[in-house]
Each structure stands twice: as C-alpha cells, then as structure tokens.
Amino acid sequence: MFNAIISERISEEKNYKKKKMKVLFVLTSHDKLGDTGKKTGFWVEEFANPYYTLLDKGVDITIATPKGGAAPIDPSSDSPDAATEATKRFDKDEEAQNRIANTEVLATMNPDDFDAVFYPGGHGPLWDLANDATSIELIEKFNSQNKPIAFVCHAPGALKNVKGEDGNPLVKGKKVTGFTNTEEKAVQLTDVVPFLVEDMLAKNGGIYSKKDDWAAYALQDGNLITGQNPASSELVAEKLLASLK
C-alpha cells in the first residue's frame, strides 16, 4: 500500500514536470495610423519570432485581440526589407496565418489558464491596448500572480495605465525599455502617435534605458520583460522562455 502511494506520487510529479506551458499572445485590433489614412496593426517579426521560439519548445500558444477575429498586420512589417527568417516562416505557415485571422476575444481569456502573457508591438497597441480596460486588468492579474509579462517595441505602451499591487504605475522603479523617441522620429511618426513609448515609461517612473537605434536590447526586472524594437523580439522571447522553466 505504502509503495503504491509513493509510486503514484512519483508519477504525479513526472506528469507535473511534463505539463505543457501555456502562453497568451495579445495582439492589437487597431488598424488606423492616426489621421494619416494609412494602415497599421501588429509588427510581423515581433509576433513571428517569439511565436516560433516558444512553439518549437512545445509551448501551447493562444492568440487574442480586443475585438477577436482577424488581427491587422502592419503593412510596413510585411514588406521585403522587413523580412526575417521568422517572417518568411510565417508567410509559409497556413496554420499560423489562420490563427491570426481567427483570434480569440480578449475578454474571454482567463489569466488563471496561462503561465505567461506576451504582447507583440506595432503601432496599433498605442491606440487600443494602452486604454483597453480588459487588457489592463489582465496584465494586473498576471502580475499579481507573479507570472511573466513580456512586451516588445511599442507593446510596452500597453502598460500606460497598468497599476502594480501598490497602486502605483506598474513600471515605477523597474528597469524597462521600449521603442525610443529617436526611432519614432526616424520613421517620421512622432507627431502621429498618441504618445511616445519612451516618454510614457519615464513619466510613469520606469528606469528607462536603451541602446543605439535599431540595436537588439531587452531587459528583465522580476517578472517584467521588455524589448526596445523589432530586432529585440528574439531576446524577449528567450527571456520569456527561460522564465517559464
């Protein structure tokens, strides 16, 4: 009897260790680039690289947006000069494209069902996710559970109105990075975006730092992971993956 109980516990421990990690990817539903008449959305590389980095390690990924359905792709990120190995893989991946075309509704997602959350960038999040009550509440819940919360490029903009458990901005006193003011100036959108990510993070008390424009750079402070730009998506994914182990 005793040996049977021990054997059962060992079996349970092995099953626990084999438990598939689940990560929620939150993408923007916003596709209008201010009043320019141009389109925006999420940046393909910032989705694709982390998606495959985690997927190839056996992570179970769910994709959600505020509106559900098709997540808009920023046309600039789908051009040949923005192509990477990950975006080329995505272009040939019918299953991944189908998942982007049929995302879950964010309001139906329960943080208790996931081990971490990841926000790819693109300019879209500055308009919707930065002010989305569901997204704000979701990040706060993940944070209160001390689960990894990761953001890259413009996605740290989703932290604009997120509070920590002490009632202060979540980023206050934490090492953070995100799309720089000079990078925004380089793409000539400083006067188009509703706010600048670098300025917002600093205003909210974040200990903001950056590398040269377009250089890969990511930071982790506790369970908070942030990356500077599209080139940083792989670094963010690696830090997120390491946090899941």
Side-chain angles (χ1 to χ4, degrees):
M1 182 68 178
F2 180 76
N3 288 338
I5 294 173
I6 294 297
S7 179
E8 186 177 336
R9 285 181 179 173
I10 291 173
S11 178
E12 285 175 356
E13 286 177 7
K14 284 182 178 178
N15 289 334
Y16 177 78
K17 288 177 181 177
K18 289 179 181 178
K19 183 173 78 81
K20 204 167 191 180
M21 289 295 178
K22 296 182 178 182
V23 176
L24 176 63
F25 275 44
V26 180
L27 275 62
T28 181
S29 287
H30 187 87
D31 68 352
K32 294 180 178 64
L33 192 60
D35 299 322
T36 64
K38 296 179 180 179
K39 293 290 187 180
T40 188
F42 74 90
W43 199 264
V44 179
E45 159 65 15
E46 296 168 24
F47 162 79
N49 194 306
Y51 178 79
Y52 292 119
T53 297
L54 298 177
L55 192 72
D56 291 348
K57 294 295 185 181
V59 176
D60 187 344
I61 297 169
T62 299
I63 305 169
T65 55
K67 294 181 180 179
I73 291 175
D74 188 312
S76 297
S77 73
D78 205 22
S79 61
D81 62 347
T84 64
E85 290 304 313
T87 66
K88 291 174 184 175
R89 181 174 171 183
F90 174 74
D91 289 341
K92 299 175 184 177
D93 189 341
E94 290 186 12
E95 181 182 350
Q97 291 179 33
N98 184 59
R99 296 183 74 182
I100 288 296
N102 298 278
T103 67
E104 303 290 339
V105 176
L106 188 59
T108 65
M109 298 293 101
N110 183 350
D112 294 341
D113 295 335
F114 301 95
D115 300 293
V117 66
F118 170 67
Y119 282 66
H123 284 87
L126 301 185
W127 277 275
D128 63 351
L129 293 173
N131 305 299
D132 186 276
T134 299
S135 174
I136 293 166
E137 183 180 350
L138 183 134
I139 297 169
E140 291 177 347
K141 182 70 181 293
F142 270 96
N143 184 60
S144 71
Q145 296 174 334
N146 201 34
K147 294 176 180 176
I149 49 176
F151 310 81
V152 65
C153 199
H154 285 88
L159 292 164
K160 184 172 186 279
N161 295 301
V162 176
K163 305 292 186 192
E165 292 186 273
D166 59 2
N168 290 313
L170 186 143
V171 300
K172 185 176 181 181
K174 294 188 176 181
K175 297 175 183 176
V176 290
T177 190
F179 205 60
T180 70
N181 290 354
T182 49
E183 286 169 332
E184 202 69 81
K185 184 177 180 181
V187 297
Q188 301 180 333
L189 292 173
T190 301
D191 297 326
V192 174
V193 294
F195 63 92
L196 297 171
V197 174
E198 177 180 340
D199 286 355
M200 180 278 291
L201 291 172
K203 181 181 178 183
N204 279 3
I207 304 170
Y208 181 89
S209 62
K210 58 188 176 182
K211 282 195 174 181
D212 292 340
D213 288 358
W214 317 117
Y217 185 52
L219 290 170
Q220 181 165 3
D221 192 328
N223 63 322
L224 175 62
I225 302 167
T226 50
Q228 181 176 318
N229 48 34
S232 310
S233 59
E234 185 171 6
L235 290 176
V236 171
E238 289 172 349
K239 289 181 181 295
L240 177 55
L241 187 61
S243 297
L244 289 171
K245 293 177 180 177

